């Protein structure tokens, strides 16, 4: 089994806000996206770039995975962002509005040309109709691309949809479509943000929905969303107990050469055991943080 890195909570932090970057050192998020795009005004782009690169090289963020979100391809800041981020060497560089496999390959070439260390992964945002229609090609375009992040606000905006409880049918279709494409490529996929930071119940419901759909975690816009996201995407004690019980029952059935293994009255097969082992490995990864 490949190494599991929890990404239950992936919190955006504004790159031009030094106080926010300092506070992030004490927030129990699995990953931080140090943002140079939407949260940074045009006149603060250079300051933000310097701030996030200094944060990455500080070594002061503990277990938190650090990704730098650069400005999108074709903007006046993109090339300088990529060059600076590559030199800083974060865990990942996140590029918004990626729309094709060729763009992925070009981004990998740019990272390599800028001297990005091997550990720096490429993450890509899928957030436009064009990207959704090419999600499978994008996800499978290069092995350095390891994580796909859904930009649900942009998807709603570009499809003229509405933000509604439970998410509108087109957004759910986009989520499902992208998740299938990413899983086919064997990559990680992170759900989009929830905009109302005061609606705890609504956030919890949407995080649960994302977990039920199969997402690895959720992008967040406020520290208050970290704890409920961590809870929603982590195996519960009951999940761990059930996984252990299934594995024990299956092993016993195989040792006794029984044709069928059951646990709590339900038949279990190899696929159930693979999932049970994944759950236990995830729980172990969380304990080892």
């Amino acid at each position: 089994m490949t190494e599991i890195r929890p990404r239950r909570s992936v919190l955006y932090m504004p790159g031009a806000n030094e106080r926010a970057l300092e506070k992030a050192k004490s927030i129990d998020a699995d990953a931080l996206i140090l943002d140079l795009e939407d949260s940074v005004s045009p006149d603060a782009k250079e300051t933000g770039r310097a701030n996030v690169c200094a944060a990455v090289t500080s070594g002061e963020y503990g277990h938190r995975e650090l990704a730098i979100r650069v400005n999108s391809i074709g903007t006046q800041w993109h090339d300088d962002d990529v060059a600076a981020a590559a030199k800083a060497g974060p865990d990942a560089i996140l590029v918004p509005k990626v729309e094709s496999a060729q763009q992925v390959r070009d981004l990998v070439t740019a990272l390599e040309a800028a001297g990005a260390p091997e550990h720096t992964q490429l993450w890509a945002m899928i957030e436009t109709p064009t990207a959704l229609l090419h999600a499978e090609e994008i996800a499978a375009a290069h092995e350095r691309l390891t994580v796909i992040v859904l930009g649900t606000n942009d998807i709603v905006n570009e499809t003229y949809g509405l933000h509604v409880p439970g998410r509108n049918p087109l957004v759910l279709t986009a989520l499902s479509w992208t998740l299938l494409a990413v899983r086919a490529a064997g990559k990680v996929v992170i759900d989009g943000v929830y905009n109302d930071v005061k609606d705890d119940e609504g956030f919890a419901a949407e995080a649960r929905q994302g977990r039920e759909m199969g997402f690895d975690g959720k992008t967040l816009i406020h520290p208050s969303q970290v704890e409920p996201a961590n809870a929603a995407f982590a195996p519960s004690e009951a999940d761990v107990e059930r996984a252990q019980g299934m594995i024990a029952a299956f092993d016993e059935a195989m040792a006794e050469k029984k044709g069928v293994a059951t646990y709590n009255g339900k038949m279990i097969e190899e696929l159930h055991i693979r999932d049970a082992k994944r759950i236990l490995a995830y729980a172990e990864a969380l304990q080892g943080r």
Side-chain angles (χ1 to χ4, degrees), residues 232-243:
F233 288 92
S236 66
E237 290 184 11
D239 292 333
V240 171
E241 182 179 341
R242 183 166 53 252

Side-chain angles (χ1 to χ4, degrees), residues 258-288:
K258 293 182 178 178
V260 176
T262 61
Y263 177 70
N264 285 348
K266 296 182 180 179
M267 186 176 73
I268 51 177
E269 302 176 276
E270 282 281 359
L271 64 92
H272 300 114
I273 300 308
R274 288 197 299 271
D275 191 54
K277 289 180 177 179
R278 181 188 60 79
I279 288 170
L280 296 183
Y282 200 98
E284 184 177 350
L286 290 174
Q287 290 177 348

Side-chain angles (χ1 to χ4, degrees), residues 66-95:
L66 299 181
I68 295 176
R69 180 166 75 165
V70 300
N71 285 278
S72 58
I73 298 167
T75 64
Q76 67 190 83
W77 308 285
H78 174 78
D79 290 345
D80 289 341
D81 285 351
V82 170
K87 184 177 179 181
D91 294 298
I93 294 174
L94 172 62
V95 182

Side-chain angles (χ1 to χ4, degrees), residues 51-63:
N51 287 348
V52 301
C53 290
V56 164
T57 57
S58 72
E60 297 175 352
Y61 286 83
H63 69 268

Side-chain angles (χ1 to χ4, degrees), residues 7-288:
R7 296 182 175 101
R8 303 164 299 170
S9 50
V10 183
L11 177 64
Y12 286 103
M13 300 302 294
N17 188 329
E18 293 184 55
R19 289 182 59 190
L21 295 178
E22 182 66 26
K23 181 179 180 180
K25 298 174 184 177
S26 62
I27 298 172
D28 193 29
D30 288 336
L32 302 171
I33 296 175
L34 310 182
D35 187 34
L36 297 177
E37 194 207 15
D38 289 343
S39 67
V40 179
S41 63
D43 61 353
K45 295 293 187 183
E46 290 189 13
T47 299
R49 187 184 302 137
N51 287 348
V52 301
C53 290
V56 164
T57 57
S58 72
E60 297 175 352
Y61 286 83
H63 69 268
R64 298 162 192 83
E65 189 172 15
L66 299 181
I68 295 176
R69 180 166 75 165
V70 300
N71 285 278
S72 58
I73 298 167
T75 64
Q76 67 190 83
W77 308 285
H78 174 78
D79 290 345
D80 289 341
D81 285 351
V82 170
K87 184 177 179 181
D91 294 298
I93 294 174
L94 172 62
V95 182
K97 294 183 174 60
V98 173
E99 294 189 322
S100 72
Q102 187 57 52
Q103 286 183 338
V104 172
R105 291 188 286 269
D106 290 344
L107 286 165
V108 170
T109 299
L111 293 186
E112 293 174 349
E118 289 187 9
H119 73 258
T120 297
Q121 305 168 0
L122 175 63
W123 294 8
M125 294 194 72
I126 284 184
E127 48 189 337
T128 68
T130 298
L132 288 166
L133 293 173
H134 295 90
E136 185 177 4
E137 300 166 26
I138 292 169
H142 199 280
E143 61 183 11
R144 194 158 190 168
L145 174 63
T146 57
V147 176
I148 295 294
V149 178
L150 267 294
T152 45
N153 280 339
D154 283 82
I155 291 170
V156 171
N157 180 65
E158 296 209 16
T159 57
Y160 308 147
L162 297 174
H163 291 281
V164 295
R167 296 192 269 200
N168 73 55
L170 185 54
V171 170
L172 288 176
T173 299
L175 293 173
S176 299
W177 180 262
T178 305
L179 192 145
L180 288 171
V182 177
R183 290 293 183 239
K187 308 293 177 70
V188 170
V189 59
I190 308 296
D191 196 1
V193 300
Y194 188 80
N195 296 313
D196 189 346
V197 298
K198 295 183 178 180
D199 182 8
D200 296 340
E201 184 176 339
F203 176 82
E206 189 167 291
R208 260 193 324 272
Q209 180 194 53
R211 173 64 192 94
E212 290 167 357
M213 292 182 73
F215 284 93
D216 293 286
K218 190 164 182 64
T219 44
L220 315 174
I221 59 172
H222 194 273
S224 65
Q225 298 174 330
V226 169
E227 185 177 348
N230 284 346
F233 288 92
S236 66
E237 290 184 11
D239 292 333
V240 171
E241 182 179 341
R242 183 166 53 252
Q244 292 169 334
M246 289 173 61
I247 292 170
F250 188 82
D251 288 346
E252 181 180 350
M254 295 303 101
E256 295 177 359
K257 301 189 184 310
K258 293 182 178 178
V260 176
T262 61
Y263 177 70
N264 285 348
K266 296 182 180 179
M267 186 176 73
I268 51 177
E269 302 176 276
E270 282 281 359
L271 64 92
H272 300 114
I273 300 308
R274 288 197 299 271
D275 191 54
K277 289 180 177 179
R278 181 188 60 79
I279 288 170
L280 296 183
Y282 200 98
E284 184 177 350
L286 290 174
Q287 290 177 348

